Structure formats: structure tokens, C-alpha cells
Amino acid sequence: MLLPLLSINVNLRPITYIAVIGLSLSISGCKPTNTDIQKTENVRESTSSMAHVKSSPTTGKPVVYQVFTRLYGNTNTTNKPWGTIADNGVGKFSDFTDTALQDIKSLGTTHIWYTGVPHHAVINDYTSIGISNDDPDVVKGRAGSPYAVKDYYNVNPDLASNPTNRFAEFEALIARTHANGMQVIIDIVPNHIARNYHSLSAPQGEPDFGANDDTSQVYSKHNNFYYVIGEDFTVPDAPHGYAPLGGETHPLSDGKFAESPAKWTGNGSRLAKPDANDWYETVKINYGVKPDGSHDFPALPLEYAHKTAAEHLAFWQAQAADDIPDSWRKFEHIAQYWLTKGVDGFRYDMAEMVPVEFWSYLNSHIKHTNPNAFILAEVYNPDLYRDYIHLGKMDYLYDKVDLYDSLKAIIQGKASTAVIATVQAKVSDIEQHMLHFLENHDEQRINTADFAGNAFNALPAMVVSTTLSRSPTLLYFGQDVGEQGAQMAGFGQPTRTSIFDYVGVPAHQRWMNNGKFDGGQSTQDEKALRAYYQTLLTLSHTAPALTGEYIELDTLQRQLNTPGYDDEVFAFSRFNTEQQLIIVSNFSQHHSKALNLTLPDTLVSQWNVTENRALKDLLNPKEPLKQLVLHKDNHATISVQLAPLQSAVLALTR
């Protein structure tokens, strides 16, 4: 998402960036070389026959691999602040070779979320292929925010070996991803678009956003934007020490941007001159929400929380055409366009800033086209979770505010593991819809002093996050090799890998090893970490019990004062008729734990255990078998020894 420039309190997300002046660098040329063109043609030729091949729906718990597409294949290690493509390099669609995709799949991946695909504002000269230059005064960074989309009907030209054929190269990537047994997710950002949105590629008869707006009114139902009547847009005052492109001279970097009348800014600011911390590079989309907050569209009856996507679609099809705001139709057309190109699902940015009725409208149309479409939304307000799932027909929401925040606090020694059972109970009715993660493009890298101190300190949390519920797991590229995100990239700052700049990702580059994807340049720790993630995430996707029931064992151990069980340990069970698991993690970085876990008699009965049984550790298969000891009163105990940061996934043997 879009992040403010300065450290301030932001209610919508707990993330800030600080921009600094970098080196004065020139803009690189963007003309493809003959080699680039031939490479593109080879890729197109080899995959064009598969361009619309669909990947089959997955079974088991999904694993989503989020890749920042611009960074993934970049082998350049220069990392100059505010560096150009010529300085720092950029990854391409063609870097996702069969070898690369099989490497991604080895992490249990079922879906690849290609972040930053739709054409967003960038500071590069593509005028030779008809793309207008973007103004650094309303672009964050040099490479631009992926959440300031400039053309929803094409892809970022930076990502193509031959920018003229950029969409064909992305279609080839879709085909390769499907051929390698995975599905494709891209972003849609309905809340806002780039200040200079202009589509060169929209289908005939599809007008640009705002093309038919009545700009004499602050609000009109079928306007795509809100307007500040009688005032022109003014570029915000830059914070002290900040200048676009790090202060580099640029013909458009003059502190001005022509927009008359001014539009409301993406985060809802109604000022003609937004603040530097506002999402000033974007404009807010109007969904038929009046400036006073009232709605100018049909209300979705509450009983539709219990109805199918098909019934939602029928509801909207029954409404008068004039009752549906124009922006709703525009985004429905955009989603359908990508579905026809073979995309399998979408991740929606800042979904809670858009009314839930729109999501019912959009998602019911999507599910009509592709019932198996994967729909993930960024929502941070727990009070809205059920509305966006049941009324908005979302498949999955971020479990950020409760589970992620709690696990981070436990890792940092600021909370007891007892909080895990509490936050999981809060979502017990919707747990299968709550996507789990420890990293994504908005969050700090684990391997930083501000998060875990090192990549291994978070492994117990990753085990819990991955196995706690029936929901998908998200893995951010580089997480599996302990990427630090330590670069001073320009607009983007440590401790996150920048989404605004051209940079390399060092730990990932070492694993990538110039396209071999064999860890040939990785450290031993990076290789060990990678192997752990492969085992854990493959287990997550394939273990039958993880699609079954959940029983927390934490409360019972605390009630019984189980020796060795304390605020650094967490235990629970996952099971179905095929498989029965006990999962226990030691979050302590320094202390081993010797435990004698007690299983409640109700669980023993559900498992139909009538005698002592052996348990195999699926996460550490070389470990000796453990024993489940059945006692006369029908409860059972398991003795477990855990080293610091060790977890065990104990499966009952037949």
C-alpha cells in the first residue's frame, strides 16, 4: 500500500516511512536491446499456445507466495540510493523461468501473488511507445508505488524485456505459472488510482476514470472522483530534507502538477493541497458514498450474509441500471478483463475504505465467471471482518491486527503465548478466512533488530501461524532465506524491502545464484532456514489434519500447572479422521523445555485412542518417536523435550 513520508500516527495502518535525500542520478534509457527483443520473442513463442491454460483448483491449505515482481529476478547488487534502472537493475517477467517457478513451488506454493503488475506511475521515459512521462512531484520513489495505478489495462513496462510487447510477456508468465502447477494472483486497488491515470490499452468504448465526470460538483453518483470546487491541486510541502528523486534535476520536478479542479486524495483528504503524509500521488474513487457518509446506492439486505455469491449476483442484476454507480461498473470490467487473460484471483488493497456493497457486486460477478477465483482483501478493522466475508463475499482477509501483532509481541518478549488462544478464539467462526503471515511488502522484515533480531527467532511463530487454522499461509519472497531489508533505497527505508525504488534483495540474490536457484551463494544459515521453510510449508499444504479441527491445549496446561509449560510455550491439536496432530512450540531463544503435556479425555475419545500410541515428529523426522501414554481415567500425556526455538508437529501413528 501507500505509506506516509514521516513518522506519524496513522489509524489505517501502523506503518511509516521516512524519505531522505540520496545521490543525484540520471534517468536511464529504456530502449530494449536486440538481445532483449529476441529473449522476449523466444519466451512468447514457447508459451503462446498455453496463454489461457487454467491451473486446476488446489486441494489442502493454500500457500501464497508473494513476490515483488520488480525485485525478484534482479541480480544487480549496486543498491545506490535513488538509483536508476541502469544503476541498480530491475527484474523482469522473463526471470520467472521454469527453474524459478519450480523453486517457488518447492515451498509448498499453490498461488503466486505477483505484486506490482498493473501499470503504475514510474519515473522512466517510455514516450517512444506512447506512454506519457510521470511527474516526480506526484510519484513516490523513482520506481513508483505499485498502488498508484496509471493504466489498469496494461502492465508495468519496467517488467518487460521488450516494453512494446509487455502484455504478451505477462501472458507468457501466466502460462508458465499454470504449466508449473500454480495459480496467479494480482493486485486490484479500488480505493484510489494514480493522480495522472490514463489508459492507453482500455477496450474500445471503455472511457478513462473521470472522463465523463461533472467537475462542477463536489459529488455526483456517477462521477468517478470527488472534487475541490474552485481550487487547483497544489503539490504538498516537502518535509525538511526531502526532495523528489533525492534532489536530482528533472524537467517535471518543479513543485507543480496541473489538476483543475483538485480531486480528493486517495486516503480521503479533501484539501486541494494535501499534506506530505497523505497519499498525495493518488486520487480517491467515488463509489456512491456522499461527502456526509450516506450511501447513494441500493442497500444490501442483512440476510444476504447467509446467501451464496450467485444470489448476490441476482440481487445486483435486479437493480435498475442507474442505481449502480459508474465506478462499480468500471472495476467490474477491469476484473473481468484480467480473468479473461488467465489471472486466477485478486488481492484487494485497503478494502475497508470501499463500501461492502461494492464488494458484493464485484465478487459475485467474479465468482460467476470463475467460481474458484482466489479473493484476498487487506482489512485491518476486526469489527468489519464478518461483513466483508459474509456480505462482501471475500474468501480471505489479513489476520494482522490480532494474530500477526500478537506473535510479533511474543517474539519480542512483550506478551505471553497465552494470547494466541485468546486471539484465535475471537475468530473461531471465521478462522478459515483469515490469511496468516509474518512478512509482506508492508511489514518489517523478520531479520531486523526492530522485529525478531534474526530470522531463526521467528520460527516458532511461523510454525504456529502456518498450522493454527484452516486458513492460507502467505510467504513473502526472501523471508525463507532471512532477507533483512537493510538497504537505504531512497524513498523506501530499512527495515522493509522498498516497494518504491530500484534495489536488489541480497539474501534472495544469493539463493537465486544467477538463475540457478540452488543457493550456490547462500550462507549455511540461509540454506538451513530455506530447508526449514520448505518442510514446514509443504507440510502446511499437504497434512490432512490441517484442514480439520482445532483444539487449544494451552488453557489446560496452565490450569494443571504442567511442569515446564510457561509463557514461552504454546500447544494445540489439529485433527480429522485421517490424521491427528499435536503441535507444540518453544518461543524461548535461550531455554530448553521439558514438558509432560496432558491431553483432555474428550480429545482422546474423539481420536478413539484405546492404548498407548507412538507419535512421529513431521517437522523433525529424524527425532525419536514420542509416546502418547493413555491413563486409566482416559486422559493421555506426552513427554516432549524442546530445544530453544524448537517446534514439534507430532502425528499419531497407526
Side-chain angles (χ1 to χ4, degrees), residues 5-75:
L5 290 172
L6 302 176
S7 294
I8 60 172
N9 292 322
V10 180
N11 292 331
L12 292 174
R13 61 167 73 244
I15 301 167
T16 57
Y17 273 80
I18 300 174
V20 297
I21 295 177
L23 301 177
S24 179
L25 303 171
S26 62
I27 298 175
S28 66
C30 302
K31 294 181 180 179
T33 66
N34 290 335
T35 301
D36 288 333
I37 294 172
Q38 186 58 55
K39 184 177 181 182
T40 302
E41 295 304 320
N42 291 343
V43 169
R44 291 177 62 199
E45 186 174 329
S46 65
T47 58
S48 59
S49 63
M50 301 185 294
H52 301 294
V53 173
K54 287 285 185 180
S55 172
S56 300
T58 60
T59 57
K61 272 166 54 83
V63 174
V64 180
Y65 184 87
Q66 184 195 2
V67 57
F68 204 84
T69 316
R70 176 204 305 152
L71 305 182
Y72 178 85
N74 183 20
T75 58

Side-chain angles (χ1 to χ4, degrees), residues 471-586:
S471 63
T473 299
L474 172 71
L475 180 72
Y476 191 37
F477 88 111
Q479 177 183 344
D480 52 302
V481 286
E483 173 56 37
Q484 291 184 301
Q487 293 74 34
M488 298 290 289
F491 192 91
Q493 300 293 290
T495 53
R496 298 168 178 87
T497 297
S498 175
I499 66 171
F500 306 105
D501 306 286
Y502 299 114
V503 295
V505 184
H508 170 69
Q509 288 174 325
R510 289 191 289 273
W511 176 264
M512 188 166 55
N513 192 23
N514 295 311
K516 296 179 183 177
F517 295 92
D518 59 2
Q521 300 176 40
S522 299
T523 67
Q524 290 303 310
D525 278 352
E526 289 167 352
K527 292 178 182 178
L529 190 70
R530 169 75 181 205
Y532 192 96
Y533 271 96
Q534 284 180 310
T535 300
L536 174 62
L537 291 169
T538 299
L539 179 65
S540 166
H541 174 56
T542 59
L546 298 183
T547 61
E549 302 299 317
Y550 160 82
I551 296 290
E552 61 98 347
L553 303 176
D554 185 76
T555 301
L556 178 61
Q557 311 313 310
R558 295 178 189 276
Q559 290 172 344
L560 296 174
N561 292 315
T562 298
Y565 197 97
D566 56 23
D567 287 342
E568 297 179 312
V569 178
F570 188 73
F572 59 100
S573 173
R574 298 296 312 282
F575 62 95
N576 62 9
T577 56
E578 293 181 66
Q579 187 182 52
Q580 298 80 40
L581 301 178
I582 298 294
I583 301 168
V584 57
S585 292
N586 177 14

Side-chain angles (χ1 to χ4, degrees), residues 12 103 147 179 367 431:
L12 292 174
D103 183 61
Y147 299 108
K367 291 292 189 178
E431 52 83 25

Side-chain angles (χ1 to χ4, degrees), residues 285-430:
I285 297 291
N286 165 28
Y287 282 92
V289 179
K290 297 178 181 179
D292 65 4
S294 61
H295 291 177
D296 204 2
F297 48 78
L300 185 67
L302 291 179
E303 61 264 26
Y304 274 74
H306 308 290
K307 294 185 181 293
T308 65
E311 290 170 309
H312 280 243
L313 179 62
F315 173 85
W316 294 113
Q317 289 176 331
Q319 307 306 310
D322 192 61
D323 287 342
I324 305 300
D326 183 71
S327 296
W328 292 30
R329 298 189 189 280
K330 276 187 164 57
F331 272 101
E332 194 269 323
H333 295 167
I334 288 165
Q336 294 295 334
Y337 175 81
W338 289 101
L339 290 172
T340 66
K341 300 302 181 182
V343 167
D344 303 292
F346 304 103
R347 178 266 188 189
Y348 299 137
D349 187 81
M350 292 308 296
E352 66 195 81
M353 296 181 75
V354 178
V356 73
E357 286 87 351
F358 164 73
W359 294 118
S360 164
Y361 175 87
L362 179 65
N363 290 335
S364 62
H365 280 81
I366 289 171
K367 291 292 189 178
H368 179 72
T369 301
N370 179 5
N372 297 308
F374 187 102
I375 296 175
L376 167 64
E378 181 186 29
V379 175
Y380 294 116
N381 183 349
D383 292 337
L384 298 177
Y385 287 169
R386 288 158 185 83
D387 284 349
Y388 279 82
I389 292 167
H390 300 310
L391 290 170
K393 309 312 289 181
M394 300 294 187
D395 292 328
Y396 307 107
L397 308 179
Y398 280 21
D399 201 341
K400 160 69 171 70
V401 172
D402 286 323
L403 185 64
Y404 168 90
D405 286 348
S406 297
L407 290 173
K408 187 173 183 179
I410 294 166
I411 292 167
Q412 296 174 338
K414 299 176 181 177
S416 164
T417 51
V419 73
I420 299 171
T422 301
V423 299
Q424 187 65 5
K426 288 171 63 176
V427 295
S428 60
D429 59 319
I430 55 171

